Amino acid sequence: MGYKIVVIPGDGIGEEITSSAVRVLEAVDKKFNLDLSYEYHDAGGTAYDKFGVPLPDSTLEAAKASDGVLFGAVGGDKWDNVEPTLRPEKAILGLRKGLGLYANLRPVKVADTLVEYSPLKPELVKGVDLVIVRELIGGIYFGERCESEMKDGAERAWDLENYSVPEVDRIARLAFETAKIRRGKVTSVDKSNVLATSRLWRRTVAQIHEEYKDIELDNLYVDNCAMQLAVKPTQFDVILTGNLFGDILSDEAAVIGGSIGLMPSASIGTCTSLYEPIHGSAPDIAGMGIANPIGTILSAAMLLRYSLKQEEAAVAIEKACDRALEAGYRTGELWKPGFTKADTVTMTDAIIKEL
């Protein structure tokens, strides 16, 4: 029957890295006869320049009709002064809401060949293999807000944090199910000593855990979790948390591997799912052809795994990336004497060769 993938390059280096990922998908398609097709659409600052909005209706409708969305990145200082509701970042928030992307999965697995790049000591980072399960369409990012109002003679702004039991129930179940196919441990992260929403979060997660007695559950305050990621990251298997805390912790965890250019993510939805590298649009290097494509290529592998159920093809891409790194290919941010310095195209070629 074939699969339709919507590609949204976005801004900055988005076009370069999504082009690399599509090249790898085309190569794996030939190997496994997947019958993939691609449809390209705009979002972010690029869409704002063309259409006056960061997320055109046509882009959202095409994404809804697809088998999976491959996304680059949005944003850049070019649009810093755009009215807040039209900023490029609104595109990804709109896609999350429009596609029902309620969960973000961010795996952080450090290969032995990359241990030396971590800012942590080798003995701390060796063997790290965790995944952060972040609630994605609730919490403070989607709550009511006020940009400016006067209160007692002073200007103030505010954002409302809130969660419902069904929202926490849904994300908790995904975390426990994820742990079932991994090492069987969930760490739920909140701030229940201060926040009412976190107390509801902890109660609800505990109730869901009653149905997953074979899974180990522990709870950490977000500040302690941030510290533990730096001092003993190997203790974690699945980290479950809300939108705001997950945004911060997932970026911290990504640094453990030495380069956010290596890190993929999957946003699981009720309609379809979206896959993107965790890094930004990097406008300072856009068009230079030096961006690391691996995070986007591994995101494409996650698309094959979660949306298309093509596990063998997904593993083939992941192993090809590992072998290219083992062969000594490094993009600029990872390059050291003794390795082969690779630009975006050269690194992509190396991965395709390993396929």
Side-chain angles (χ1 to χ4, degrees):
M1 295 176 61
Y3 303 103
K4 184 175 76 174
I5 297 171
V6 163
V7 182
I8 304 176
D11 309 321
I13 61 171
E15 183 175 352
E16 300 161 59
I17 56 177
T18 53
S19 293
S20 287
V22 169
R23 286 186 59 210
V24 173
L25 284 171
E26 288 172 340
V28 85
D29 189 358
K30 290 179 181 179
K31 185 172 183 176
F32 292 96
N33 298 313
L34 303 178
D35 193 12
L36 306 179
S37 62
Y38 308 90
E39 189 175 303
Y40 290 79
H41 289 270
D42 292 309
T46 303
Y48 175 80
D49 289 345
K50 290 183 180 180
F51 308 108
V53 293
L55 182 62
D57 291 341
S58 58
T59 298
L60 181 57
E61 291 308 310
K64 287 180 178 179
S66 73
D67 293 296
V69 179
L70 181 65
F71 192 87
V74 294
D77 50 16
K78 177 182 177 182
W79 302 282
D80 280 350
N81 296 319
V82 171
E83 199 272 322
T85 61
L86 297 175
R87 286 182 61 86
E89 294 78 8
K90 289 294 182 180
I92 189 64
L93 295 176
L95 283 165
R96 288 173 184 170
K97 203 71 174 180
L99 301 179
L101 304 178
Y102 69 93
N104 181 248
L105 304 183
R106 279 204 190 176
V108 179
K109 186 174 183 179
V110 183
D112 289 347
T113 54
L114 298 175
V115 165
E116 64 178 300
Y117 293 95
S118 176
L120 302 183
K121 295 177 181 179
E123 61 268 25
L124 295 180
V125 74
K126 186 177 176 62
V128 167
D129 182 5
L130 61 90
V131 61
I132 296 178
V133 179
R134 166 191 170 191
E135 201 287 324
L136 206 55
I137 55 174
I140 198 166
Y141 290 168
F142 288 91
E144 295 178 17
R145 66 195 61 203
C146 174
E147 295 287 339
S148 176
E149 70 175 12
M150 298 301 294
K151 175 74 172 180
D152 298 328
E155 184 183 15
R156 71 174 186 176
W158 51 265
D159 300 270
L160 178 64
E161 163 83 356
N162 69 84
Y163 268 113
S164 67
V165 168
E167 287 175 312
V168 182
D169 181 304
R170 178 170 60 178
I171 195 72
R173 290 182 187 279
L174 179 61
F176 286 122
E177 290 293 334
T178 302
K180 282 175 68 174
I181 59 174
R182 289 176 53 86
R183 300 194 306 278
K185 179 182 178 182
V186 170
T187 300
S188 181
V189 177
D190 58 44
K191 193 63 176 172
S192 59
N193 57 335
V194 177
L195 300 176
T197 46
S198 283
R199 288 190 282 276
L200 179 139
W201 180 283
R202 187 172 290 208
R203 289 197 309 271
T204 305
V205 171
Q207 290 168 0
I208 303 304
H209 182 233
E210 292 296 316
E211 302 176 34
Y212 293 89
K213 287 296 190 180
D214 54 330
I215 303 298
E216 178 185 353
L217 171 67
D218 62 0
N219 297 280
L220 288 180
Y221 296 142
V222 62
D223 45 351
N224 188 17
C225 182
M227 180 181 69
Q228 293 298 323
L229 278 169
V231 299
K232 193 181 178 184
T234 53
Q235 70 182 281
F236 295 108
D237 179 21
V238 175
I239 296 175
L240 163 66
T241 192
N243 207 343
L244 175 61
F245 298 154
D247 191 2
I248 298 166
L249 292 174
S250 55
D251 279 353
E252 181 195 5
V255 175
I256 293 171
S259 171
I260 61 172
L262 299 169
M263 301 298 172
S265 75
S267 296
I268 306 301
T270 55
C271 178
T272 191
S273 297
L274 181 146
Y275 303 84
E276 61 179 320
I278 71 167
H279 57 70
S281 62
D284 56 320
I285 62 169
M288 298 172 64
I290 60 174
N292 190 336
I294 291 181
T296 316
I297 291 168
L298 290 175
S299 297
M302 294 183 79
L303 187 157
L304 293 175
R305 170 173 293 117
Y306 291 103
S307 286
L308 308 190
K309 310 303 180 186
Q310 298 291 337
E311 178 68 16
E312 189 178 1
V315 170
I317 290 177
E318 291 164 347
K319 288 184 175 179
C321 289
D322 287 342
R323 286 194 294 267
L325 290 167
E326 289 168 3
Y329 288 92
R330 299 287 188 274
T331 46
E333 85 281 12
L334 296 173
W335 181 83
K336 295 179 181 181
F339 292 101
T340 301
K341 194 169 188 178
D343 58 19
T344 308
V345 171
T346 305
M347 179 58 80
T348 307
D349 290 341
I351 293 168
I352 291 173
K353 180 181 178 181
E354 293 297 341
L355 275 170

